[in-house]
DNA sequence: TATCAGTTTAGAACGATTCTAATGTATTGA
DNA sequence: TCAATACATTAGAATCGTTCTAAACTGATA
């Protein structure tokens, strides 16, 4: 895609074959939550065999450029989120699935942070089922 | 300690030397957030050399009995929390430290969960600094 | 088209956690 | 009291997601 190459260049990323394929998938307009593994599987289904090393490199490169958000939900894998706006999530451990909560939520009753510490961001994770 | 042995037996756990040492430390009345590594270091300072395998086993045994809570904060390690009440946390990535938020907090504006899914629990994580 | 910095890749390394299987110990009932 | 036995501890190997290494490759530039 011409657009994606332009998009990558704009973000100081060389539009290599692999990056173009991955960016085309990730930034197709539908927000996604991927792990290195789920992305690899998806790419294989699309007949794009890209090494795991490159997938990890690319996810981190995109993250460095602010194109992806990192989500630390559990200790088993890192999720990358194409929705870079501040938002919250439903999480189903059973399905290993995340669902965006874009609605304006408010947390009230928050105590003051400890001395010399500032609040960076508030993350709400709504666990579903088990 | 007599009390701790009784406490372990009450929870269907044999009061072995190692479990008594660990339980004495964890359940001394001060809530704690430990990882296998931080617990091991603390025990070494107390001149108690307990193998990592036993530390992992014991943390999981205590967790199974509901004496500890598991916290999945980041992808690098699992935290165990001696505060088993529902509560929230401040988290400083820089210090790798968790601080309990026991105050009643309320989350408003939460959308309905997806069909056939029930909300299990809501976790608020307040990130400090970086 | 030559050059070269940046990229891809296979495979090794890493680190937290789990597993294995041999040894040790708390419990219990004769 | 003291086997017998079920359960616990341990060192070290295995596992698995992720990162690193170093050699081959390729996009950008002139
Ligand atoms: Mn881990
Ligand atoms: Mn991981
Ligand atoms: Zn999201
Ligand atoms: Zn806590």
């Amino acid at each position: 895609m011409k657009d994606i190459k332009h998009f990558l260049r704009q973000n100081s990323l060389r539009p290599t074959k692999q990056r173009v394929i991955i960016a085309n998938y990730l930034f197709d307009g539908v927000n996604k939550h991927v792990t290195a593994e789920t992305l690899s599987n998806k790419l294989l289904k699309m007949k794009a065999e890209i090494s795991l090393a490159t997938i990890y490199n690319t996810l981190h490169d995109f993250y460095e450029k602010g194109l992806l958000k990192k989500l630390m939900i559990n200790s088993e894998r890192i999720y990358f989120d194409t929705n870079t706006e501040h938002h919250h999530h439903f999480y189903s451990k059973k399905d290993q699935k995340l669902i965006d909560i874009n609605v304006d939520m408010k947390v009230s009753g928050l105590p003051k942070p400890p001395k010399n510490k500032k609040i960076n961001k508030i993350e709400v994770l709504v666990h579903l089922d088990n």
Side-chain angles (χ1 to χ4, degrees), chain A:
Chain A
M1 258 286 109
K2 194 60 149 285
D3 296 329
I4 280 290
K5 286 192 180 181
H6 184 66
F7 171 75
L8 289 171
R9 277 201 202 87
Q10 275 188 320
N11 286 283
S12 320
L13 291 164
R14 278 196 194 170
T16 63
K17 204 173 114 213
Q18 292 83 350
R19 282 177 178 168
V20 167
I21 293 170
I22 294 175
N24 259 319
Y25 168 65
L26 288 179
F27 309 119
D28 65 358
V30 182
N31 278 332
K32 293 169 181 63
H33 304 100
V34 304
T35 67
E37 198 194 4
T38 65
L39 179 54
S40 174
N41 290 339
K42 185 64 77 174
L43 292 168
L44 287 177
K45 271 191 214 140
M46 300 161 72
K47 306 291 177 204
E49 193 167 327
I50 299 176
S51 79
L52 255 192
T54 297
I55 288 172
Y56 276 106
N57 287 340
T58 303
L59 287 172
H60 280 119
D61 292 344
F62 288 3
Y63 170 71
E64 294 285 309
K65 301 301 181 183
L67 306 177
L68 292 175
K69 221 175 169 175
K70 251 188 212 177
L71 302 179
M72 310 304 211
I73 300 291
N74 66 39
S75 315
E76 282 151 22
R77 69 202 94 256
I78 296 170
Y79 285 89
F80 288 87
D81 194 338
T82 61
N83 181 351
T84 55
E85 302 293 314
H86 180 255
H87 64 287
H88 306 286
H89 294 96
F90 285 117
Y91 176 60
S92 164
K93 183 174 183 161
K94 185 158 72 66
D95 307 349
Q96 297 275 307
K97 276 267 171 53
L98 286 161
I99 299 168
D100 279 355
I101 300 178
N102 289 305
V103 182
D104 258 322
M105 295 204 318
K106 208 164 243 165
V107 176
S108 56
L110 193 68
K112 282 221 169 54
K115 270 270 179 307
N116 305 319
K117 297 281 184 188
K118 276 205 203 90
I119 290 176
N120 181 324
K121 66 171 186 287
I122 299 176
E123 260 186 338
V124 178
L125 186 61
V126 182
H127 294 263
L128 299 171
D129 313 317
N130 236 358

